[in-house]
Amino acid sequence: MNQLLEGRVAVITGGAQGIGLSIARTYVEHGARVVLGDLDAASARASASDLGGDEVAIGVRCDVTSADEVQTLIDAAISTFGSLDVFVNNAGITRDATMRTMTEDDFDLVVDVHLKGTWNGTRLAAAHMRQHGSGAVVNISSLSGKVGMVGQTNYSAAKAGIIGLTKAAAKEMAHHGVRVNAIQPGLIRSAMTEAMPQKAWDAKMAEIPMQRVGEVGEVANVALFYASDLSSYMTGTVAEVTGGRFM
Ligand code: NDP
């Protein structure tokens, strides 16, 4: 396959593990250099080293709820690799509980990390990209934001909010050559989902027409499509990577 991201520089938040790391690996395989931003600096650096070390990847501590730290991440990409062409808002957490037991802190934290974090990443990346007349922002939403899931009033709200944010930002940035798109993964095998009780896992599996869990690489391939010129006439769109669940 061609090197779809040859010469491009990508930042991936929450890039130390899971879906974010898989996106980073796929981007590197397609010629990009990447910056992994993560809460856990040591883990981000270790993952960057696994991807090939300083020539192709660096790890930087970043809490996406802090605009200053997101700006530092972007500055690191530009000072180390010379540009910023792709920004993936992937960092995420869950704090599941029904409304009867969910604390206000857990509502606020989840909305902050996903929605404020994605807003920080999108607006700060776009501010740089518009000066160069090109760029791609890829926002990781969730099927939970499309259909709503029990125990996820915080997460579903934040992930649905990311879709509205994506479309509004896409409209604001289209004439600057910056595209903004979103991905809604379904059940994907990662640390986040492997922590789920077996009963919840089985119930989700029963809803999937393709009758299997998705792998992180299958989300990464769609993130590659949105980052590359293959999707040059697409902005404000939402790709469902779900095995047909809740289509
Ligand atoms: P993981 O928990 O494996 O990875 C999430 C990463 O985000 C971790 O490295 C975590 O760091 C980091 N992170 C958490 N909070 C912050 C923060 N404030 N600032 C920076 N980084 C942070 O999850 P997944 O790979 O499964 O999920 C990635 C994205 O995909 C998330 O947005 C998630 O909501 C979404 N998603 C996942 C699905 C799935 O089935 N797995 C389905 C649908 C959507 P640390 O470990 O140090 O806390």
Side-chain angles (χ1 to χ4, degrees):
M1 207 187 286
N2 289 334
Q3 296 278 290
L4 293 171
L5 299 180
E6 191 64 52
R8 313 245 174 121
V9 178
V11 169
I12 298 115
T13 68
Q17 64 179 53
I19 292 173
L21 178 56
S22 181
I23 292 172
R25 181 168 291 117
T26 302
Y27 285 4
V28 168
E29 283 166 6
H30 280 269
R33 286 165 297 162
V34 298
V35 177
L36 311 178
D38 207 283
L39 269 186
D40 184 339
S43 164
R45 283 197 288 267
S47 295
S49 154
D50 283 352
L51 290 177
D54 289 355
E55 298 290 303
V56 292
I58 58 166
V60 176
R61 190 206 124 84
C62 172
D63 179 346
V64 296
T65 64
S66 157
D68 286 348
E69 292 192 24
V70 174
Q71 187 60 55
T72 301
L73 190 61
I74 290 172
D75 293 345
I78 296 164
S79 63
T80 309
F81 295 132
S83 68
L84 173 69
D85 306 292
V86 180
F87 195 101
V88 183
N89 287 296
N90 164 81
I93 57 167
T94 50
R95 293 289 183 277
D96 292 1
T98 58
M99 283 192 289
R100 194 167 57 81
T101 54
M102 186 179 290
T103 63
E104 193 173 342
D105 281 353
D106 278 349
F107 182 86
D108 289 345
L109 181 63
V110 168
V111 170
D112 248 26
V113 171
H114 289 279
L115 193 49
K116 172 77 91 63
T118 299
W119 184 65
N120 281 335
T122 303
R123 73 191 168 97
L124 295 172
H128 176 83
M129 290 168 177
R130 64 187 289 166
Q131 297 170 32
H132 300 271
S134 69
V137 176
V138 183
N139 293 332
I140 308 299
S141 172
S142 167
L143 197 50
S144 182
K146 177 183 176 184
V147 301
M149 305 261 183
V150 171
Q152 294 197 321
T153 49
N154 49 4
Y155 185 81
S156 295
K159 290 303 204 185
I162 287 174
I163 300 303
L165 188 164
T166 297
K167 293 182 179 186
K171 285 182 180 170
E172 287 188 18
M173 299 311 298
H175 65 290
H176 293 293
V178 180
R179 299 180 298 105
V180 190
N181 290 288
I183 299 175
Q184 289 190 319
L187 183 63
I188 307 298
R189 196 191 310 276
S190 76
M192 189 180 271
T193 49
E194 278 177 341
M196 210 185 282
Q198 188 64 40
K199 221 172 120 188
W201 179 274
D202 292 345
K204 286 177 192 297
M205 283 293 288
E207 296 165 347
I208 305 171
M210 287 177 73
Q211 300 185 338
R212 67 171 177 86
V213 64
E215 302 298 335
V216 290
E218 296 179 292
V219 179
N221 285 339
V222 180
L224 170 66
F225 171 72
Y226 273 147
S228 77
D229 295 342
L230 288 179
S231 59
S232 55
Y233 199 50
M234 295 177 76
T235 197
T237 69
V238 184
E240 296 181 15
V241 183
T242 63
R245 184 164 167 234
F246 300 138
M247 64 182 78

